[in-house]
Amino acid sequence: MASNGEKNKKVTSKSPSFSLRSPSLNALRLQRIFDLFDHNGDGFITLEELSQALSRLGLNANLSDLKSTVESYIQPGNTGLNFEDFSSLHKTLDDCFFAGDDDLSSPAAADESDLAEAFKVFDENGDGFICARELQAVLKKLGLPEGGEMERVERMIISVDRNKDGRVDFFEFKNMMRTVKQIS
């Protein structure tokens, strides 16, 4: 049986994908996550919505544990986390678990590393390309309606596939992300 000291140990492994080093990409990512978690689109993530979203990602959390962690971030009178509350919660978790994770020497190298990590999420078979099936699988895992329509997924691939080979390589992915970064 584990001692209390073992139970209360902090997570010490660092994940370069938890916090993107580009503030504009991080803000865009957080807004998209918030929008995904806010299932009914009312501008608040309730504990139930958060629990459902975490379950879809394979992270089953006990509702009472989740409540004790998240409740202090919900402003009085609100039904759940608004975007600012969600950002504060994310920053606290990031600072708590990943503070001082500055192992990359330059902002460009950090951005490149973040993009490589993001690319790996979509490139499920590790062949260096994102095909329509892989993109659809990730969209479905995230609960996005686009994941249910292969035709829509194929159009998404075509929109960034510069060399017209029917899949997205890392170079095409980087170009797409730079465009997203410039828009935000």
Side-chain angles (χ1 to χ4, degrees):
M1 187 162 167
S3 70
N4 279 344
E6 289 172 328
K7 284 184 191 175
N8 295 327
K9 282 185 180 177
K10 281 188 177 181
V11 174
T12 56
S13 65
K14 298 188 184 235
S15 168
S17 61
F18 184 77
S19 177
L20 300 176
R21 286 152 188 88
S22 168
S24 60
L25 280 177
N26 205 29
L28 177 63
R29 179 193 65 150
L30 275 179
Q31 184 64 57
R32 287 187 175 159
I33 292 169
F34 180 86
D35 293 342
L36 286 171
F37 286 13
D38 179 16
H39 191 69
N40 65 1
D42 67 354
F44 295 99
I45 300 174
T46 64
L47 287 171
E48 291 77 21
E49 287 172 325
L50 184 57
S51 178
Q52 289 171 0
L54 293 174
S55 289
R56 281 194 307 249
L57 294 170
L59 304 169
N60 295 318
N62 180 305
L63 194 57
S64 63
D65 291 341
L66 196 57
K67 182 177 181 178
S68 66
T69 303
V70 174
E71 206 167 50
S72 65
Y73 289 89
I74 299 174
Q75 295 177 25
N78 286 350
T79 59
L81 297 165
N82 64 24
F83 182 70
E84 291 79 27
D85 303 335
F86 184 70
S87 294
S88 295
L89 174 62
H90 177 269
K91 180 170 180 7
T92 300
L93 292 172
D94 187 33
D95 291 347
C96 179
F97 292 114
F98 305 102
D101 188 18
D102 296 327
D103 57 349
L104 298 169
S105 57
S106 74
D111 283 349
E112 186 81 13
S113 175
D114 288 339
L115 288 172
E117 286 294 318
F119 185 81
K120 287 177 188 176
V121 169
F122 291 93
D123 181 19
E124 291 185 322
N125 66 4
D127 68 353
F129 300 96
I130 302 168
C131 68
R133 186 204 51 76
E134 289 172 315
L135 178 57
Q136 183 181 38
V138 172
L139 294 174
K140 279 184 177 179
K141 284 179 189 174
L142 293 172
L144 296 172
E146 292 88 347
E149 301 175 38
M150 182 52 90
E151 195 174 303
R152 246 176 123 174
V153 173
E154 289 170 345
R155 284 196 308 265
M156 293 169 80
I157 294 285
I158 290 168
S159 72
V160 296
D161 181 19
R162 300 285 181 229
N163 65 4
K164 308 292 184 221
D165 66 353
R167 50 194 190 166
V168 177
D169 60 31
F170 184 63
F171 178 76
E172 292 164 333
F173 182 79
K174 280 191 341 185
N175 285 337
M176 176 195 68
M177 293 306 291
R178 283 189 186 125
T179 303
V180 169
K181 185 176 178 180
Q182 292 170 358
I183 292 171
S184 61

